[in-house]
Amino acid sequence: MWMYVLALVVLYYVVRWFRELERVQDRGSKYVYITGCDSGFGNLLARHLDKCGFCVVAACFTEKGEEELKKSCSSRMSTIHLDVRKQESIDKAAAFIKEKVGQKGLWAVVNNAGVSLPSAPCDWLTLEDYKSMLTVNLEGVIGVTLSIIPLIKKARGRVVNVASVFGRISPVGGPYCVSKHGVESFNDSLRISMHPFGVKVLCIEPGFFKTIVTDTDLILRNIKMLWERLPKETKDDYGDDYLSKVETMLNKKLSKMSDGDLMKVVSCMEHAVSAVHPRTRYSPGWDAKFFWLPLSYAPTCISDYLLLKDVIKPAKMVA
């Protein structure tokens, strides 16, 4: 019996592998709009898709980001300034793209722009801390998508949303996980809504990778800044040595957990854009596949136990 089950599982993955090899044709006539291209995944994806022959419209937050991409890519590459926090900037970028793509429409948008700070225990934060991140990570994704969705529908193209494995489970405090859960929800509802129009909506859920999101120095500066503004009562709850424990933990664990091969994520993004039969979800990173995702399906008592096992304990912890 188990041999038959194993054979079916192997057959399924072999068939899926062959099916996913096929790529779309006429890449030179297909435009791909990518947000957050100054660095990290977005920057690498813009360069990679340019080499693959797509017409890339790379949205950057800085002039430096635009200039570096123009120097290193082909004449097919177009760059624009984009601040996803501002509707005026989103609309201006959409108008530029509409003029570029004409009647062909836009083949794909990759919503990659995002921030990861502030991040801290929930009782360290204010509502404004949540709003500032949600404006970028969630409202930015929704705003950019809605601004160009008519062009995507015209091309019967695809929307690629970069969420996180922490959109499936919330091991850290603060707005990051909240924003990524929101992206997951928007992604799922949009996928259902766009299905009748032949538009594919796909989600990337990376684990830990060595980007600015996991930069230990930035995270520590953020935590120290948040600590300094805390009322004395909250500081007393956590204890004077809490910051030093956090620093030790980050230096010891975060660097080991973070994967330095960013192409694992970029390859998933490229497949979502260029495959004839893309996957609905991609979870690059061994930690995502074999720890975080299985943990998200586990009973709460098990996931809480594993998440709390190595957490730094506050000084005034209830016994």
Side-chain angles (χ1 to χ4, degrees):
M1 176 63 180
W2 288 110
M3 292 298 293
Y4 288 113
V5 173
L6 180 61
L8 286 173
V9 170
V10 171
L11 179 62
Y12 166 78
Y13 280 104
V14 169
V15 170
R16 189 180 75 166
W17 181 75
F18 275 107
R19 189 170 183 266
E20 291 178 349
L21 290 176
E22 187 179 3
R23 294 296 197 267
V24 296
Q25 303 298 313
D26 301 321
R27 297 182 186 184
S29 66
K30 288 180 167 59
Y31 282 83
V32 181
Y33 174 26
I34 310 169
T35 68
C37 293
D38 294 88
S39 61
F41 299 135
N43 186 275
L44 286 174
L45 178 65
R47 298 169 189 266
H48 185 61
L49 290 183
D50 178 67
K51 290 179 181 178
C52 290
F54 287 97
C55 297
V56 177
V57 180
C60 299
F61 186 67
T62 65
E63 289 185 8
K64 181 182 178 182
E66 290 187 63
E67 290 170 0
E68 289 181 352
L69 275 176
K70 285 178 181 177
K71 289 177 182 177
S72 60
C73 296
S74 73
S75 59
R76 291 187 305 274
M77 171 73 69
S78 301
T79 63
I80 52 173
H81 170 74
L82 177 66
D83 185 345
V84 298
R85 301 170 298 179
K86 299 178 180 178
Q87 189 62 48
E88 180 183 2
S89 182
I90 291 174
D91 291 341
K92 186 176 180 180
F96 174 84
I97 290 167
K98 184 176 182 179
E99 185 176 345
K100 273 276 184 186
V101 303
Q103 294 302 311
K104 296 189 299 292
L106 178 63
W107 173 249
V109 60
V110 181
N111 285 304
N112 169 73
V115 294
S116 61
L117 302 176
S119 179
C122 294
D123 55 337
W124 290 27
L125 301 167
T126 67
L127 181 58
E128 290 305 313
D129 293 325
Y130 279 81
K131 285 181 178 179
S132 66
M133 189 179 292
L134 290 170
T135 298
V136 177
N137 289 6
L138 181 55
E139 292 180 23
V141 169
I142 296 171
V144 167
T145 302
L146 296 183
S147 73
I148 46 77
I149 200 66
L151 300 176
I152 297 283
K153 288 163 69 177
K154 185 176 290 187
R156 297 185 67 184
R158 49 197 66 180
V159 177
V160 183
N161 293 314
V162 182
S164 167
V165 74
F166 292 162
R168 305 282 288 274
I169 189 169
S170 301
V172 295
Y176 184 76
C177 294
V178 175
S179 68
K180 294 303 183 180
H181 275 268
V183 171
E184 292 273 354
S185 179
F186 174 66
N187 182 87
D188 289 350
S189 59
L190 184 69
R191 186 179 66 252
I192 300 301
S193 298
M194 290 297 102
H195 184 267
F197 300 100
V199 172
K200 292 179 170 63
V201 181
L202 317 158
C203 194
I204 314 292
E205 303 168 333
F208 273 107
F209 284 87
K210 288 183 180 178
T211 66
I212 194 169
V213 172
T214 56
D215 187 305
T216 304
D217 292 336
L218 285 178
I219 295 171
L220 283 173
R221 285 202 296 270
N222 159 77
I223 292 175
K224 289 176 181 177
M225 180 272 294
L226 294 173
W227 176 265
E228 289 302 320
R229 76 179 192 188
L230 289 177
K232 184 177 184 304
E233 180 183 11
T234 306
K235 288 183 178 180
D236 289 343
D237 286 344
Y238 283 85
D240 294 335
D241 61 346
Y242 189 81
L243 277 184
S244 62
K245 291 179 180 178
V246 170
E247 184 171 1
T248 300
M249 183 272 292
L250 287 174
N251 288 324
K252 183 178 179 182
K253 290 190 174 182
L254 192 59
S255 59
K256 292 181 180 179
M257 291 173 62
S258 301
D259 192 330
D261 185 5
L262 303 190
M263 284 306 297
K264 289 178 182 176
V265 179
V266 172
S267 295
C268 290
M269 292 172 160
E270 181 268 323
H271 191 270
V273 168
S274 66
V276 174
H277 304 289
R279 299 181 190 180
T280 302
R281 277 185 166 84
Y282 298 81
S283 301
W286 295 116
D287 61 322
K289 290 181 176 69
F290 295 111
F291 183 72
W292 297 114
L293 285 179
L295 194 62
S296 72
Y297 290 108
T300 305
C301 60
I302 294 176
S303 61
D304 281 4
Y305 170 77
L306 291 173
L307 293 175
L308 290 168
K309 186 165 62 74
D310 295 321
V311 76
I312 299 171
K313 307 295 192 298
K316 290 185 179 180
M317 179 176 169
V318 178

